[in-house]
């Protein structure tokens, strides 16, 4: 359940005013003891108040910088009550984090070629998006997307999205499982280490897609220099590992179910958390109402590497 615990408050000065406006983050999910360590308390997600994304091009640079820092701290920021943010403003917000990159099919109702319009009605948007399994976006690319935005122009009664922070998943792994996963590579249209350090935070995170057609298998002990591996997982072993990953992601202590309201605008650290659209997102419009989501993706600028690979690069 959402909480009203205030996490942080900043006082931001507008560029042409002597008055300040509050920029406040409220807790999205209760903190949980993950493991017995100094960093065992975590907080995933925050609700941002005091920022109007309909004025994205005039938001003070200081506010933008705070939002960028808070994104990688909390990994999932929700701006409530934003109405219908225009394509231009959604793309402006996206460009705070880098270059917008689009790899999807364009729907005729999309307001811009760089915005994926998703719906439960094929006349209104692309259907069955994000449905094949838990994933991060762009796992098929050499440099997966680093940030994505989701903006809901219309919500259905059952159109939630599930999110799970990845560093905490890794923290909770039994030692033997952690040791094995450290040596595994996700094999899709690109090959990535299953576990690697997040480029912005240096915390361990993951690259994967649990659904077809994005996953071909897993490799153990992959060597990029000669494109070889100690083991190649067959279909059965791959399926078992995907089920294991899914079970970890659906840990009730970690998984957050985001029940959207119309006008919600989320900025998501795509490399820091996984997400999944459950079957209910595609229930017919006639029974649950119309679901419309506008999504953007920001190009990644690093190829995932293990800590060991990073050490070799620096030698």
């Amino acid at each position: 359940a959402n909480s009203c615990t205030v996490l942080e408050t900043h006082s931001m000065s507008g560029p042409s005013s002597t008055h300040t406006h509050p920029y406040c983050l409220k807790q999205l999910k209760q903190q949980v003891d993950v493991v017995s360590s100094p960093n065992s308390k975590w907080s995933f997600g925050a609700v941002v108040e005091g920022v109007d994304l309909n004025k994205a091009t005039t938001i003070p640079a200081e506010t933008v910088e705070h939002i960028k820092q808070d994104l990688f701290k909390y990994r999932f920021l929700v701006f409530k009550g934003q109405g219908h943010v225009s394509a231009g403003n959604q793309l402006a917000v996206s460009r705070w984090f880098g270059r917008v990159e689009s790899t999807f099919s364009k729907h005729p109702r999309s307001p811009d070629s760089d915005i994926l319009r998703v719906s439960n009605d094929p006349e209104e948007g692309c259907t069955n998006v994000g449905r094949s399994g838990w994933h991060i976006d762009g796992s098929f690319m050499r440099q997966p997307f680093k940030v994505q935005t989701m903006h809901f122009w219309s919500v259905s009664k059952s159109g939630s999205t599930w999110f799970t922070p990845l560093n905490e998943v890794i923290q909770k792994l039994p030692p033997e499982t952690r040791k094995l996963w450290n040596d595994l590579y996700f094999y899709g249209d690109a090959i990535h280490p299953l576990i690697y350090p997040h480029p912005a935070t240096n915390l361990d995170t993951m690259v994967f897609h649990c659904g077809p057609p994005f996953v071909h298998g897993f490799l153990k002990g992959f060597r990029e220099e000669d494109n070889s591996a100690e083991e190649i997982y067959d279909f059965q072993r791959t399926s078992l590992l995907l089920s294991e990953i899914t079970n970890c992601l659906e840990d009730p202590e970690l998984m957050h179910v985001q029940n959207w309201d119309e006008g919600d605008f989320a900025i998501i650290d795509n490399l820091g958390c996984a997400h999944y659209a459950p079957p209910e997102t595609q229930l017919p419009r006639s029974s649950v109402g119309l679901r419309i989501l506008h999504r953007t993706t920001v190009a990644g600028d690093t190829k995932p590497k293990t800590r060991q690979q990073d050490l070799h690069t620096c030698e």
Side-chain angles (χ1 to χ4, degrees):
N2 287 0
S3 169
C4 291
T5 303
V6 175
L7 296 168
E8 300 181 34
T9 304
H10 307 291
S11 184
M12 297 293 146
S13 297
S16 58
S17 173
T18 57
H19 297 90
T20 61
H21 64 275
Y23 166 39
C24 175
L25 288 93
K26 291 187 176 180
Q27 189 169 293
L28 184 69
K29 184 177 174 68
Q30 295 292 338
Q31 289 184 326
V32 177
D33 279 316
V34 179
V35 291
S36 296
S37 75
N39 298 318
S40 63
K41 286 285 190 180
W42 65 279
S43 184
F44 172 65
V47 176
V48 180
E49 296 183 351
V51 177
D52 183 0
L53 298 179
N54 293 284
K55 302 175 181 177
T57 58
T58 60
I59 292 174
E62 183 185 7
T63 304
V64 172
E65 190 57 36
H66 273 291
I67 291 170
K68 290 164 71 173
Q69 292 174 9
D70 288 331
L71 175 64
F72 295 115
K73 183 176 181 180
Y74 297 104
R75 291 162 288 182
F76 178 64
L77 301 179
V78 181
F79 300 73
K80 307 291 289 184
Q82 297 295 313
H84 289 172
V85 176
S86 69
N89 280 315
Q90 184 168 4
L91 290 169
V93 170
S94 305
R95 292 184 183 115
W96 293 345
F97 302 92
R99 176 176 58 87
V100 174
E101 184 171 24
S102 309
T103 59
F104 43 77
S105 301
K106 310 299 188 291
H107 191 276
R109 296 299 302 274
S110 174
D112 189 277
S113 60
D114 279 328
I115 291 180
L116 173 64
R117 184 173 165 105
V118 178
S119 184
N120 58 344
D121 180 345
E123 296 296 318
E124 289 290 342
C126 299
T127 57
N128 288 304
V129 176
R131 281 282 309 112
S132 65
W134 280 91
H135 61 284
I136 70 159
D137 284 349
S139 63
F140 56 90
M141 304 173 72
R142 180 178 173 83
Q143 297 177 331
F145 301 122
K146 62 181 177 181
V147 171
Q148 64 164 302
T149 70
M150 294 184 179
H151 178 39
F152 281 82
W153 276 51
S154 183
V155 295
S156 59
K157 294 177 182 177
S158 58
S160 65
T161 308
W162 300 356
F163 294 90
T164 298
L166 293 172
N167 179 257
E168 288 76 12
V169 168
I170 297 167
Q171 286 188 49
K172 291 190 72 175
L173 293 176
E176 286 303 309
T177 303
R178 172 70 179 272
K179 183 179 178 182
L180 172 62
W181 286 19
N182 275 337
D183 202 29
L184 290 179
Y185 285 72
F186 171 78
Y187 171 36
D189 286 353
I191 297 175
H192 298 298
L194 181 58
I195 294 177
Y196 78 104
H198 190 295
T201 65
N202 203 40
L203 295 173
D204 285 335
T205 190
M206 301 174 68
V207 186
F208 61 87
H209 197 302
C210 289
F214 299 98
V215 56
H216 305 326
F218 289 89
L219 310 174
K220 184 179 180 183
F222 174 70
R223 292 181 295 274
E224 190 171 10
E225 56 271 18
D226 60 2
N227 205 39
S228 64
E230 295 173 16
E231 293 182 50
I232 301 175
Y233 277 29
D234 60 16
F235 177 80
Q236 183 177 10
R237 291 184 74 189
T238 294
S239 298
L240 287 172
L241 180 56
L242 292 173
S243 294
E244 188 177 3
I245 292 171
T246 297
N247 288 337
C248 290
L249 294 166
E250 294 181 3
D251 180 342
E253 266 199 341
L254 300 181
M255 189 180 85
H256 169 68
V257 176
Q258 179 64 32
N259 295 307
W260 304 103
D261 293 318
E262 185 172 324
D264 282 357
F265 191 112
I267 306 177
I268 301 153
D269 172 8
N270 181 59
L271 303 179
C273 61
H275 62 282
Y276 173 64
E280 293 78 12
T281 59
Q282 293 303 298
L283 290 176
R285 176 179 181 175
S286 57
S287 61
V288 297
L290 178 63
R291 185 177 193 261
I292 297 176
L293 156 64
H294 288 177
R295 192 202 74 178
T296 64
T297 44
V298 177
D301 45 28
T302 56
K303 182 184 185 301
K305 293 183 178 180
T306 64
R307 294 188 187 277
Q308 194 62 35
Q309 285 174 315
D310 272 341
L311 286 174
H312 292 327
T313 301
C314 293
E315 288 174 356

